[in-house]
Amino acid sequence: MKKNYVYPIQRILTALLWALLLISQVTWAQSVPDPQWARVGRTMTIRTDGTITTGDNEFLVTYSLNGDKLSQVGPIRGVGMLPPGKLPPGYPFDPYFYFRGFIQLSTSQDNQVLAVGYEIGDGMGVFNFRGSSSGGAQYRIPTPDGGYIWFDVGARTDYSTNPPIVSPTVTTVSKGGAQASWSRDISFPVQNTSLSDKTLTKATVLINTPDGGYLVAGYFNNSNTDAPELGWAAKLDAQGNVSWQKLLNTVSNSNGPGAITGMKSITDVILTPDGSGYTLVGSALQANSSATPTAILELDFNGNSKSGRAKAIDSGPFTTAYLTAYTGSNGKTYYAVGNTSLQDRPDPQILLVDVGTLTTVAKRIFPGPGQSSLTDIATAGDGSLVFVTDNNQLVKLQPEAITQPPVGSLALTAPTYNCTTGAFTFNTTGGNGSTIEYMAPGITGWTTNPNQFVDEGSRTALDVQPFTLMARQNGVTVTYIWNLRAYCNGTQPPTYTPIPNQTF
């Protein structure tokens, strides 16, 4: 009876959320787009076809970009009550099993959803709706080879000794699937042996990397206390060997407004939009200050902080921040950071950060029916932003209209691309007939040859970020934001931006 009572109330609250979001249009700046629609949902993943799947308590629901329900799996209530195939074969029959909800969703290259959920009586379960499973991890993502990778965090204690020996608290990264299986314990090495039995190395996020490996990030603590002290990241190769791991307590040439000395924790990471490294978001360390602002840090592929690419973007106190790349109506690429405003009460908040300057150019709070915290942000197939909250609210924002260039002027159009071979050709319209140069970070430097090639790592990475294509003619540079993943799934929107008299 309790569940039957909660669900209608949840629908009413969603309707109230929609009304409040519309009212908020009058109050907040419009640089961050208005909401398009709201639904019930606490977790989400963007499918490879651009649609949105959310964990709606006992259901997995997929919505179109217009908010129409496309499919539904569930309800997931107990082993004896499920339709065939909704739990993996061989899952133990437990009459006390009761599903409590989804805590993480991700999407494989073949557009299938991998779901992690809580259950009563049996801890946690991982439900892969392709029909297989492996349990026990709170954070799990598909890998390009059709497998999956996850992490757990825990201490290692030898109870055979008196007193028991407590080893460092480590992050264990494990890989499963048909092609490879392995498990690696990772703990940051300390020089002082007196600390060797009291440290904590904790992962909070894990991504695939273009070279077929993985990046795991989180924080380190010297006293084995489960609290952020110093940001931490480690790079693994495809076999799980640690290529490098670093504490992120120092940054390169961070000065001026928003200067930071390092990172205290990492809560999300993506590949940089130009394909040259990693962008991390988390809480920052500042000289002679106990403040904990939200900050962005860029690393190269060797784990070195890029010069001048570290900055605080939002004053504290810090709330868990999530990150995605976003293209505005002007064709510029931004970092869209989702966190939680504590201005009057906890409410979801989105910041747009200029990729070039790492300056926050827009900020907007989205009040709902009751306080809530933002729990994820992503970019949907039409280029719009989508976020979810811990109050079971899924909100999609309006896609921005792309500003078209004047008729007859030089403009980049959608490239010609072979999704299998990587063959790539810049395409333009207009111009005055003089020589055109082309450039795209991650594809090629400036060249007059429009025929190029996208490397295999970028073609196969699940989380490859949009490329910024550029063409220049007689001192005028135009850009086009090209989403390889969306292009190969038929959902790439057109984007044109003339930028006069600019040198790259």
Side-chain angles (χ1 to χ4, degrees), residues 196-373:
S196 63
D197 62 350
K198 317 189 267 193
T199 62
L200 175 143
T201 304
K202 184 167 185 176
T204 56
V205 64
L206 174 70
I207 64 169
N208 295 282
T209 57
D211 61 358
Y214 313 96
L215 184 77
V216 60
Y219 57 85
F220 174 80
N221 190 298
N222 264 327
S223 60
N224 203 12
T225 301
D226 191 359
E229 185 178 64
L230 299 174
W232 164 81
K235 174 66 174 63
L236 282 65
D237 65 18
Q239 290 72 46
N241 303 307
V242 177
S243 304
W244 53 260
Q245 61 168 321
K246 298 186 178 184
L247 296 183
L248 307 176
N249 56 329
T250 58
V251 298
S252 175
N253 190 28
S254 179
N255 50 48
I260 64 174
T261 58
M263 300 294 286
K264 185 174 183 178
S265 69
I266 303 300
T267 56
D268 204 3
V269 58
I270 61 173
L271 296 177
T272 55
D274 65 3
S276 64
Y278 310 105
T279 304
L280 303 93
V281 67
S283 59
L285 299 167
Q286 290 185 303
N288 304 315
S289 174
S290 60
T292 54
T294 301
I296 282 178
L297 168 67
E298 290 185 2
L299 303 178
D300 63 23
F301 283 124
N302 294 317
N304 303 309
S305 65
K306 296 181 180 180
S307 179
R309 304 299 293 169
K311 187 176 289 188
I313 59 169
D314 193 29
S315 59
F318 174 78
T319 56
T320 304
Y322 303 87
L323 182 66
T324 188
Y326 176 70
T327 302
S329 61
N330 56 5
K332 290 186 63 175
T333 301
Y334 298 94
Y335 290 126
V337 177
N339 62 3
T340 302
S341 168
L342 302 177
Q343 182 172 296
D344 297 312
R345 62 172 194 177
D347 280 308
Q349 176 176 259
I350 294 178
L351 303 89
L352 294 184
V353 179
D354 188 296
V355 168
T357 62
L358 295 186
T359 301
T360 300
V361 298
K363 181 191 295 189
R364 183 171 180 177
I365 299 171
F366 294 85
Q371 64 184 35
S372 62
S373 297

Side-chain angles (χ1 to χ4, degrees), residues 12-366:
I12 293 170
L13 290 177
T14 301
L16 290 174
L17 166 67
W18 180 238
L20 285 169
L21 290 175
L22 290 176
I23 292 171
S24 74
Q25 296 177 22
V26 178
T27 307
W28 303 102
Q30 302 302 296
S31 296
V32 177
D34 296 330
Q36 182 181 5
W37 49 261
R39 301 289 184 269
V40 174
R42 186 184 181 96
T43 56
M44 68 172 172
T45 182
I46 306 301
R47 310 290 287 271
T48 54
D49 60 4
T51 59
I52 306 157
T53 293
T54 182
D56 175 0
N57 288 327
E58 297 172 342
F59 298 88
L60 275 182
V61 183
T62 298
Y63 292 103
S64 73
L65 296 173
N66 293 322
D68 300 319
K69 183 182 289 188
L70 300 177
S71 65
Q72 178 174 295
V73 174
I76 298 179
R77 293 176 178 165
V79 172
M81 303 160 62
L82 283 173
K86 299 310 181 188
L87 279 182
Y91 196 86
F93 182 84
D94 182 355
Y96 301 104
F97 168 83
Y98 193 91
F99 189 76
R100 295 176 56 191
F102 297 100
I103 58 173
Q104 187 229 337
L105 305 177
S106 53
T107 300
S108 65
Q109 275 187 308
D110 58 356
N111 204 34
Q112 302 299 310
V113 171
L114 187 68
V116 181
Y118 279 124
E119 59 191 65
I120 295 175
D122 203 13
M124 269 179 296
V126 177
F127 312 105
N128 183 338
F129 288 88
R130 288 175 291 182
S132 62
S133 83
S134 179
Q138 295 188 46
Y139 195 103
R140 182 177 297 243
I141 59 173
T143 54
D145 64 4
Y148 38 85
I149 187 167
W150 68 95
F151 63 74
D152 292 294
V153 178
R156 298 291 181 265
T157 303
D158 183 358
Y159 291 100
S160 65
T161 63
N162 189 15
I165 297 175
V166 180
S167 301
T169 300
V170 302
T171 286
T172 301
V173 179
S174 303
K175 169 75 167 60
Q179 297 190 24
S181 295
W182 46 257
S183 184
R184 300 285 186 271
D185 287 349
I186 307 172
S187 60
F188 188 79
V190 293
Q191 301 301 316
N192 185 346
T193 56
S194 66
L195 296 175
S196 63
D197 62 350
K198 317 189 267 193
T199 62
L200 175 143
T201 304
K202 184 167 185 176
T204 56
V205 64
L206 174 70
I207 64 169
N208 295 282
T209 57
D211 61 358
Y214 313 96
L215 184 77
V216 60
Y219 57 85
F220 174 80
N221 190 298
N222 264 327
S223 60
N224 203 12
T225 301
D226 191 359
E229 185 178 64
L230 299 174
W232 164 81
K235 174 66 174 63
L236 282 65
D237 65 18
Q239 290 72 46
N241 303 307
V242 177
S243 304
W244 53 260
Q245 61 168 321
K246 298 186 178 184
L247 296 183
L248 307 176
N249 56 329
T250 58
V251 298
S252 175
N253 190 28
S254 179
N255 50 48
I260 64 174
T261 58
M263 300 294 286
K264 185 174 183 178
S265 69
I266 303 300
T267 56
D268 204 3
V269 58
I270 61 173
L271 296 177
T272 55
D274 65 3
S276 64
Y278 310 105
T279 304
L280 303 93
V281 67
S283 59
L285 299 167
Q286 290 185 303
N288 304 315
S289 174
S290 60
T292 54
T294 301
I296 282 178
L297 168 67
E298 290 185 2
L299 303 178
D300 63 23
F301 283 124
N302 294 317
N304 303 309
S305 65
K306 296 181 180 180
S307 179
R309 304 299 293 169
K311 187 176 289 188
I313 59 169
D314 193 29
S315 59
F318 174 78
T319 56
T320 304
Y322 303 87
L323 182 66
T324 188
Y326 176 70
T327 302
S329 61
N330 56 5
K332 290 186 63 175
T333 301
Y334 298 94
Y335 290 126
V337 177
N339 62 3
T340 302
S341 168
L342 302 177
Q343 182 172 296
D344 297 312
R345 62 172 194 177
D347 280 308
Q349 176 176 259
I350 294 178
L351 303 89
L352 294 184
V353 179
D354 188 296
V355 168
T357 62
L358 295 186
T359 301
T360 300
V361 298
K363 181 191 295 189
R364 183 171 180 177
I365 299 171
F366 294 85

